[in-house]
Amino acid sequence: MPHVLVLNASYEPLGVVPLRRALVLVLENKALCLEESGAFMHSATRAVPAPSVVRLKRFVRVPYRGPAPLTRRALFARDGGRCMYCGGVATSIDHVVPRSRGGQHAWENVVAACRRCNHVKADRHLMELGWRLRHQPAPPSGLAWRIIGTGHRDPRWLPYLQPFGADDALARIDGISA
Ligand SMILES: [Zn+2]
């Protein structure tokens, strides 16, 4: 099922919804189609162009949502697909302070890691190993990370995401297939 980028009336990216749901928004006149995907949705009586980007007609006030959700894709994008310990190709997620020792599953405590470092580190603290992180992990900023973290991508979304940090996110996610 293709997914559709939903923008607020202010053009701020709100999220990604399944095509069917976006189509309902358009048909109920709650959203405008800004970009079509090129495909068509067929009903009994007509063919409707499938949207790729829609914008809500009325501004929806969104409460502050905190950092972008911590997903595997968003994490690999933040860390450029590289192990934060050795710089090798990352294939796994590591908790800097191990969960078994009270470490949180949060942006500040999670890094992309290669299999070897993850295995060697196991449930030890960096201090015990004499290891250092290549960067201090922090939540990525910009609304585009929420969209990119969903794993749904469409080149038509890019112009709408670029003002919200997409360049940064996509530059790091390019070539990452995780
Ligand atoms: Zn490594």
Side-chain angles (χ1 to χ4, degrees):
M1 176 65 132
H3 279 66
V4 176
L5 173 65
V6 180
L7 307 177
N8 211 334
S10 59
Y11 284 89
E12 273 187 2
L14 283 178
V16 171
V17 300
L19 173 58
R20 203 168 296 278
R21 186 153 165 230
L23 204 58
V24 168
L25 288 172
V26 171
L27 293 176
E28 289 181 348
N29 213 23
K30 289 178 180 158
L32 295 164
C33 177
L34 296 185
E35 299 282 338
E36 294 173 359
S37 76
F40 285 86
M41 303 285 283
H42 297 275
S43 73
T45 52
R46 57 178 176 149
V48 182
S52 169
V53 181
V54 301
R55 179 169 74 91
L56 297 182
K57 287 192 166 178
R58 295 180 64 170
F59 179 75
V60 173
R61 194 165 293 280
V62 182
Y64 175 67
R65 292 185 286 182
L70 174 50
T71 66
R72 184 184 170 89
R73 279 169 195 278
L75 177 72
F76 274 55
R78 184 198 67 179
D79 294 349
R82 293 281 156 189
C83 174
M84 283 276 258
Y85 301 117
C86 74
V89 175
T91 54
S92 64
I93 290 173
D94 185 62
H95 293 87
V96 180
V97 176
R99 300 214 79 178
S100 61
R101 299 173 76 166
Q104 300 291 307
H105 186 67
W107 281 110
E108 294 83 353
N109 190 50
V110 173
V111 293
C114 73
R115 193 185 309 264
R116 189 173 156 274
C117 288
N118 206 336
H119 181 75
V120 170
K121 182 168 169 289
D123 64 348
R124 283 180 285 183
H125 282 289
L126 293 187
M127 239 166 33
E128 298 171 288
L129 290 154
W131 286 10
R132 288 175 57 181
L133 287 164
R134 290 153 55 86
H135 305 282
Q136 200 54 43
S141 60
L143 288 170
W145 286 89
R146 282 175 193 284
I147 307 301
I148 286 154
T150 64
H152 298 292
R153 289 175 70 181
D154 184 328
R156 293 177 195 87
W157 299 355
L158 198 56
Y160 300 94
L161 296 179
Q162 267 166 344
F164 300 95
D167 278 344
D168 192 29
L170 288 169
R172 298 193 216 185
I173 207 170
D174 271 349
I176 300 167
S177 55

